[in-house]
Amino acid sequence: MINRLAWSDPGWWGVVGVLVLLAGCAGESGVGDGERVLEVWAHAGREAERRTLEAQIRRFEAELPAVRVELTWIPEGSYNGQVQAAALGGRLPDVLEFDGPYLYSYAWQGHLQPLDDLLPEALRDDLLASILAQGTYRDRLYGIGTFDSGLGLWADRGRLEDVGARIPDGPDEAWSTAEFTTLLEKLAAIDDDGQVLDLKLNYTGEWFSYAFSPLLQSAGGDLVDRGPQGLASSTLDGPESVSAMRTLQSWIQQGLVDPNLDDAAFTQGRVPLAWGGHWNHPAYRDALGERLLLLPLPRHSDELVTGQGSWQWGITRRAPDPQLAMDFLAFLLRPDEVLAMSEANGGVPATHRAARRSEDFGPDGALHLFVRQLAEGYAMPRPRTPAYPVISDAFGRAFQDIRHGADPAEALTRAARRIDRELRDNRHYPPIAAPTAGCSSEAFLVLSHDIVTEPAEGAITVPVRKRLSLPASEPAW
């Protein structure tokens, strides 16, 4: 049974205090006349993705006639808000889809079951390294995706050849940022307006952290120190990160970057280079044909780093039959099913077996670089902490300031201080006791506040929960 519309957005974000009574037992998946019901929530993404998942569910049910999957679509824009509201009310489904960085909040809050003892070893071995890295929090696996994302440079081969550019043949041969800057200047010298690079400055929200934190990391910096008590200060605003952002800023200030207001800088041939992802491939292929090249990002030091992460699946602690839930996820990770979803959304297949069979992502495919980067350790997951939405928003704001001429050191320091406040206010999110599956008789006060205090297009908003007047026997938050 497929519910095409979820309830309306509960609109609880602006509430200063909410009295939550968690009493009695959460409902269990319905069982009647021998039928087993599996509740699944997914984000209402592209129509092709929706059609594919619905077809996959029908195939899964055909193999297990005693199982009925109840699928609920939730609008992507309000997805996290609705999930958080349902979690507070004890009404999560058995299987939950979520965007990669949100996993860490859900796992920390105790809403997800670890998958380590449920995931078959052969399937674990088949998953790309990036899928396992993204789904891991505090050394336990909580999420697995059927696809991942790819990030790189798209290039017009003919225009690179016009200036005698060296063409990198794989991640190990990525241009340094110094070599890349020289290449941009050579291309600009024979370009009508001198704008030769698209950084997708027309994008909003998560793009900036996803796309440009790899440049910090390749320099030896990062968005935050990833140690247990790590902070952003001296890392996000450290000399390595500042150097990387000064270089990026110099490309903009020299007039080498097309603002791409119409999102057509590359397809119309205004620029020969575009910083982008796997989702750009269909339009770029249609525009350039055999001239289209996929290349690794430039590196700011010795090692290339690239981005990764996308939607993934988890099993909630509410699920009365975790093995059935895992059977469903294992079905979605069969090669044919992985390839079906990859064809629908263009994502990088999540398993080695599926990738090898893919025309685009296989060893001879035009997009094989994405698989290499994800499988061979070049990709770095975004910081695995419940503070990530604050981290991402803070860096995104710093990026915009730097883009418009602010001193990179000052902008990154402001962002680092904001992130540090978030981490210290929440005591670095210490582990908390997982809720007992199904039942609770506890009443407590939950304070929530928006992490984004100013409206920003594409900003991510997540409530931060703090418990007051805990009994001595309760774990601290």
Side-chain angles (χ1 to χ4, degrees):
M1 181 173 65
I2 298 170
N3 301 319
R4 294 190 178 275
L5 292 177
W7 58 82
S8 61
D9 193 336
W12 56 289
W13 294 108
V15 178
V16 175
V18 181
L19 181 63
V20 181
L21 178 63
L22 300 180
C25 296
E28 296 185 356
S29 296
V31 179
D33 299 327
E35 184 179 60
R36 301 157 71 192
V37 177
L38 189 67
E39 294 184 43
V40 176
W41 288 3
H43 79 290
R46 304 176 189 175
E47 182 181 354
E49 291 178 283
R50 298 196 302 271
R51 289 199 307 266
T52 299
L53 182 58
E54 290 172 2
Q56 290 174 323
I57 287 173
R58 289 193 292 269
R59 289 193 288 269
F60 177 73
E61 290 176 326
E63 289 193 8
L64 298 174
V67 174
R68 175 165 55 89
V69 177
E70 291 188 346
L71 172 63
T72 298
W73 294 115
I74 299 178
E76 186 170 347
S78 62
Y79 193 89
N80 185 61
Q82 297 199 36
V83 169
Q84 290 283 2
L88 289 176
R91 299 304 307 170
L92 286 175
D94 305 318
V95 177
L96 180 67
E97 189 186 26
F98 39 80
D99 200 1
Y102 283 116
L103 175 146
Y104 317 120
S105 291
Y106 298 151
W108 173 73
Q109 292 168 353
H111 300 319
L112 302 178
Q113 298 194 35
L115 305 180
D116 304 87
D117 296 333
L118 294 169
L119 183 65
E121 184 175 354
L123 182 51
R124 175 188 283 271
D125 292 342
D126 195 28
L127 292 169
L128 298 181
S130 62
I131 295 292
L132 294 171
Q134 175 188 233
T136 299
Y137 177 65
R138 295 189 184 275
D139 300 321
R140 303 296 300 273
L141 184 68
Y142 288 95
I144 47 178
T146 64
F147 56 91
D148 206 337
S149 61
L151 179 66
L153 276 174
W154 298 102
D156 182 332
R157 180 194 298 272
R159 293 173 68 178
L160 294 187
E161 291 175 347
D162 287 344
V163 295
R166 178 181 69 85
I167 307 297
D169 185 21
D172 292 336
E173 297 186 9
W175 291 312
S176 69
T177 50
E179 186 178 7
F180 186 64
T181 299
T182 299
L183 172 60
L184 294 178
E185 292 169 347
K186 288 181 178 179
L187 290 167
I190 60 171
D191 186 83
D192 291 340
D193 62 7
Q195 296 178 346
V196 293
L197 174 64
D198 172 21
L199 292 176
K200 300 290 183 294
L201 297 180
N202 57 305
Y203 285 7
T204 60
E206 182 61 17
W207 167 249
F208 303 106
S209 295
Y210 172 74
F212 303 114
S213 62
L215 194 63
L216 309 185
Q217 293 148 0
S218 76
D222 205 343
L223 295 171
V224 66
D225 182 336
R226 301 198 182 206
Q229 301 295 312
L231 296 170
S233 294
S234 300
T235 297
L236 177 55
D237 59 352
E240 297 85 359
S241 298
V242 171
S243 174
M245 292 306 295
R246 285 197 193 283
T247 296
L248 189 149
Q249 185 186 58
S250 74
W251 302 335
I252 298 173
Q253 291 181 334
Q254 290 181 64
L256 301 171
V257 176
D258 189 308
N260 195 29
L261 298 178
D262 59 358
D263 199 29
F266 192 73
T267 54
Q268 291 187 358
R270 297 202 307 267
V271 300
L273 291 164
W275 207 286
H278 66 269
W279 57 90
N280 300 125
H281 180 242
Y284 287 3
R285 177 195 56 210
D286 292 346
L288 273 76
E290 294 185 358
R291 300 201 323 274
L292 181 64
L293 283 177
L294 173 61
L295 303 172
L297 296 177
R299 52 178 176 78
H300 198 65
S301 187
D302 295 334
E303 299 294 332
L304 168 70
V305 179
T306 190
Q308 60 115 157
S310 194
W311 289 84
Q312 55 187 320
W313 296 98
I315 299 174
T316 73
R317 289 192 177 273
R318 176 190 179 277
D321 191 345
Q323 187 56 59
L324 176 61
M326 177 52 69
D327 291 343
F328 174 67
L329 299 186
F331 178 86
L332 296 182
L333 284 163
R334 291 180 182 178
D336 286 345
E337 304 302 334
V338 171
L339 290 173
M341 186 56 74
S342 177
E343 183 176 350
N345 64 14
V348 184
T351 67
H352 293 283
R353 287 192 298 164
R356 284 195 295 268
R357 287 175 44 185
S358 169
E359 180 178 352
D360 284 333
F361 294 98
D364 298 322
L367 307 182
H368 185 62
L369 173 67
F370 288 146
V371 177
R372 284 195 61 190
Q373 291 182 155
L374 297 174
E376 297 177 12
Y378 294 98
M380 181 176 290
R382 281 159 279 183
R384 293 180 287 195
T385 167
Y388 178 74
V390 174
I391 294 171
S392 180
D393 184 71
F395 177 74
R397 290 170 185 265
F399 181 92
Q400 294 293 358
D401 290 343
I402 292 168
R403 169 193 175 183
H404 291 109
D407 180 72
E410 294 178 2
L412 293 176
T413 294
R414 286 194 297 271
R417 288 172 178 167
R418 179 182 168 198
I419 294 166
D420 288 353
R421 284 196 302 271
E422 173 70 16
L423 292 167
R424 286 175 172 140
D425 286 350
N426 289 279
R427 299 174 56 203
H428 293 267
Y429 296 90
I432 61 176
T436 303
C439 301
S440 173
S441 59
E442 175 189 34
F444 57 89
L445 182 68
V446 176
L447 296 184
S448 64
H449 65 81
D450 288 349
I451 64 166
V452 180
T453 56
E454 301 174 14
E457 185 178 2
I460 301 171
T461 304
V462 175
V464 176
R465 300 170 53 194
K466 298 179 182 180
R467 180 179 293 181
L468 304 181
S469 302
L470 290 173
S473 60
E474 291 289 341
W477 286 31

